[in-house]
Amino acid sequence: SSGINAEWPLRPGAAGTSYDQFLKAYGASVHKSYFPYEYFDSLEKLSSTTFPSYESFFSSLKGRNTLEPTPGEVLIEEEQQVANQYPRSEDSTLLSPDQVVGVGIYRYGKLRLLFQ
């Protein structure tokens, strides 16, 4: 016996290696959110009542603002509508830099509303 419960709902390898992939693989109704990890560099900021700026969501590890979509990321309908308000890069299926920032700012606004 392998010690694996045959009724266990998880399928090995189905979720990839990230939390976001895990949630998608198992049909979770919640999704990973955004957090300005590098902004919190002191204990004082933990008790701040001011919402961090858009720029605070920049990640030096990823080399980009984490609110901005990654190349090839599938946008939800509302985000696609925001992206469509900006010109698309010619000869590309990828979002233009203006579209990327536009969607990032849209996500920032939605996130900020959750904390008001």
Side-chain angles (χ1 to χ4, degrees), residues 73-116:
E73 179 180 335
V74 177
L75 304 178
I76 63 171
E77 184 178 341
E78 296 164 349
E79 294 172 343
Q80 189 59 58
Q81 289 173 354
V82 170
N84 290 342
Q85 296 175 15
Y86 299 90
R88 183 175 284 277
S89 298
E90 289 187 30
D91 300 325
S92 177
T93 57
L94 300 177
L95 298 175
S96 71
D98 288 340
Q99 288 176 308
V100 168
V101 172
V103 171
I105 291 170
Y106 171 77
R107 289 176 176 175
Y108 175 77
K110 283 187 66 174
L111 188 62
R112 188 173 181 160
L113 284 175
L114 291 173
F115 291 93
Q116 287 185 338

Side-chain angles (χ1 to χ4, degrees), residues 28-64:
S29 60
V30 296
H31 60 84
K32 184 177 173 182
S33 190
Y34 308 96
F35 190 80
Y37 293 100
E38 294 177 28
Y39 169 78
F40 289 101
D41 57 3
S42 69
L43 292 175
E44 291 78 32
K45 285 185 180 175
L46 289 173
S47 35
S48 172
T49 57
T50 304
F51 194 74
S53 69
Y54 177 80
E55 292 77 16
S56 298
F57 288 82
F58 183 83
S59 167
S60 59
L61 179 65
K62 294 187 177 196
R64 63 179 186 81

Side-chain angles (χ1 to χ4, degrees), residues 1-40:
S1 169
S2 67
I4 298 175
N5 181 347
E7 295 182 25
W8 183 250
L10 300 179
R11 300 175 311 276
T17 58
S18 77
Y19 181 59
D20 196 41
Q21 289 173 338
F22 177 86
L23 293 173
K24 288 177 186 173
Y26 297 109
S29 60
V30 296
H31 60 84
K32 184 177 173 182
S33 190
Y34 308 96
F35 190 80
Y37 293 100
E38 294 177 28
Y39 169 78
F40 289 101

